[in-house]
Amino acid sequence: MTDPAASVHLYAILRAKTVRGFKAFQHVIRCRLKAMKMQQIFIEGLSVPTLIGVYDWERTQQTTLIMDLLINADLSEAMASDDVNHTIDYAAVAECVKEVGASSSFELLEALSKAIVDRLCARFPIQKLVLKIEKPGILPDAQKVGIQVTHEVSE
């Protein structure tokens, strides 16, 4: 362990010699092991047609949103096996996002982002997801507007 502050923290926990101290120690170890088993998959510039918007003129036709996804997951088994069944299928992730977009008619990007996050986390073994949604051509003085949300899956 190279972080001196973490070493001091662990030492204090061990000195406590209490059930609570031991549980805290176990939690720290689990978090460090989990962090060691985290790799990232990214999809950038995914075009997702959907009906979205607050104003009447936005509700007359679909808008193509541009999405970037950064997925943290344990990909160590796929790294060792070279077997697609041991990873998160990028095409399946993209298709899932497009399905949510096609079947929704939210007014807000925030609501759409929650639906996408919920669906992806239910279907794939994701530890953390960063989703960026861009809505191009909406403001006359801006190329695009959008949101970015981060969702960490708790144990």
Side-chain angles (χ1 to χ4, degrees):
M1 187 172 300
T2 58
D3 182 5
S7 297
V8 169
H9 178 69
L10 287 176
Y11 178 74
I13 291 171
L14 289 173
R15 291 226 4 156
K17 295 183 183 177
T18 65
V19 172
R20 194 178 113 222
F22 183 69
K23 287 183 180 181
F25 172 74
Q26 284 179 319
H27 176 72
V28 169
I29 296 301
R30 271 195 307 273
C31 288
R32 289 188 179 265
L33 289 173
K34 185 176 178 181
M36 291 182 345
K37 292 184 176 185
M38 192 179 313
Q39 295 80 35
Q40 295 180 324
I41 291 172
F42 66 90
I43 299 173
E44 293 181 345
L46 181 65
S47 295
V48 180
T50 189
L51 183 62
I52 192 152
V54 175
Y55 303 107
D56 291 340
W57 59 269
E58 292 180 293
R59 313 284 308 160
T60 61
Q61 63 184 13
Q62 287 193 329
T63 299
T64 298
L65 303 175
I66 307 300
M67 300 191 192
D68 296 338
L69 296 95
L70 182 61
I71 298 169
N72 289 10
D74 180 1
L75 305 176
S76 56
E77 189 175 357
M79 294 167 73
S81 70
D82 192 31
D83 184 342
V84 71
N85 295 311
H86 297 153
T87 192
I88 296 175
D89 183 342
Y90 316 148
V93 170
E95 188 58 35
C96 184
V97 171
K98 287 181 155 195
E99 286 171 3
V100 173
S103 66
S104 68
S105 60
F106 292 107
E107 291 186 358
L108 301 177
L109 294 176
E110 292 83 348
L112 176 60
S113 72
K114 181 179 182 332
I116 292 170
V117 167
D118 289 349
R119 181 85 58 89
L120 289 174
C121 290
R123 185 167 170 195
F124 301 100
I126 293 172
Q127 295 172 352
K128 180 179 176 182
L129 172 63
V130 179
L131 173 64
K132 181 179 176 182
I133 303 176
E134 298 174 355
K135 191 174 181 183
I138 296 301
L139 293 179
D141 298 332
Q143 291 180 355
K144 53 193 166 192
V145 298
I147 65 165
Q148 180 170 308
V149 296
T150 302
H151 178 78
E152 290 195 55
V153 177
S154 58
E155 293 181 12

